[in-house]
Amino acid sequence: MDINTEVHHAFEVIQNGGIILYPTDTVWGLGCDATNAEAVQKIYQLKQREETKSMICLMNGERMMYQVFKDIPEVAWQILDLSEKPTTLILDDPRNVAANLIASDKTLGIRLVKEPFCYKLMERMKKPLVSTSANISGQPTPLSFKEISPEIIKGVDYVVNLHRDKTASKPSTIIKLTQDAQVKIIRP
C-alpha cells in the first residue's frame, strides 16, 4: 500500500468518528480525532483504561500547537529544537480538544511529529491526532505490529497497512512544562 492511499482510508474512518491502529514515530498507536469526545471514549474502552489517565495528541507543527495552546512557554520551543529523539511535552491549559483528553490538572501531552504518515494524516484532518500505545492498559507496550493483541486489532475501525515489519523504537521522552517555566522530566 502507498502512503497516500493509507492516509485517505485513515482519514475517512476518523472523519466518521472511528479509531485507527497506526505506526507513529515511536510505537504503534491507537488514534482518533482529538476533538471528538466519543471517539476518544472508544479508545479508553478498548484499552480498558481509566479516563483519569490521559492520552497524548500528535501535532504536525507550530500552527496546530497554537490552535490548542494560547500560551506556549519559550522553553518548549528550545526543548523541541534540541531534542534528538521523539519528545512529548505536557503543557498547561489546552483548548479546542475533547474534554476527556484533558488531564485533571488541566494539562495535555503533545508531540510534534515528522513521521510521513502521521504528518500527512494531520495535514488532511487539520486537527491533532490522539496517540496512545496499542495495548490493554497495564500490559506491556508492543514494540512491533506482531506483538499487538488480537483484541486490540479487532477493536479498531481501521488498521493502517504500513511498516508492519518494523520494530519500534522506545516510547518518547516525556517532559512537563508549566506556565511559570518549571520543567519536570516524567520519562527520560
Side-chain angles (χ1 to χ4, degrees):
M1 283 287 185
D2 79 289
I3 191 167
N4 293 327
T5 303
E6 289 303 308
V7 166
H8 175 75
H9 289 312
F11 176 74
E12 296 285 310
V13 167
I14 286 171
Q15 280 289 94
N16 292 313
I19 59 177
I20 63 169
L21 175 60
Y22 66 103
T24 73
D25 53 341
T26 57
V27 297
W28 274 80
L30 295 169
C32 68
D33 172 351
T35 66
N36 183 330
E38 287 176 20
V40 170
Q41 182 58 38
K42 285 183 195 174
I43 293 178
Y44 280 119
Q45 288 171 336
L46 179 59
K47 283 185 68 81
Q48 299 167 25
R49 182 179 180 139
E50 297 167 42
E51 275 196 44
T52 52
K53 293 192 172 193
S54 54
M55 298 183 282
I56 72 162
C57 289
L58 300 182
M59 299 188 182
N60 68 356
E62 198 173 308
R63 192 161 156 207
M64 196 173 280
M65 282 180 67
Y66 278 111
Q67 283 175 357
V68 177
F69 300 98
K70 196 170 73 180
D71 299 309
I72 300 172
E74 185 54 40
V75 70
W77 301 115
Q78 294 166 352
I79 289 169
L80 290 171
D81 287 344
L82 297 171
S83 295
E84 291 180 13
K85 64 181 195 169
T87 300
T88 298
L89 296 180
I90 300 173
L91 301 173
D92 290 333
D93 301 320
R95 60 197 175 145
N96 302 326
V97 294
N100 53 351
L101 272 178
I102 301 171
S104 56
D105 63 353
K106 305 280 183 269
T107 61
L108 178 67
I110 61 106
R111 190 164 79 240
L112 281 182
V113 292
K114 294 179 178 79
E115 191 282 324
F117 170 78
C118 295
Y119 189 90
K120 286 181 174 202
L121 179 58
M122 285 182 283
E123 206 169 51
R124 184 105 184 257
M125 292 169 59
K126 299 187 179 9
K127 297 174 187 174
L129 179 65
V130 169
S131 184
T132 183
S133 56
N135 60 322
I136 303 295
S137 205
Q139 292 182 359
T141 299
L143 297 180
S144 67
F145 183 80
K146 63 179 177 282
E147 290 179 19
I148 299 170
S149 78
E151 187 177 356
I152 292 286
I153 294 169
K154 285 185 196 115
V156 299
D157 299 299
Y158 186 68
V159 179
V160 173
N161 193 11
L162 295 169
H163 310 301
R164 291 200 183 173
D165 52 352
K166 188 175 132 193
T167 300
S169 59
K170 295 187 309 212
S172 65
T173 297
I174 301 177
I175 300 173
K176 185 172 186 171
L177 302 178
T178 57
Q179 292 293 0
D180 57 359
Q182 290 183 41
V183 177
K184 182 178 178 188
I185 295 176
I186 310 279
R187 182 171 65 200

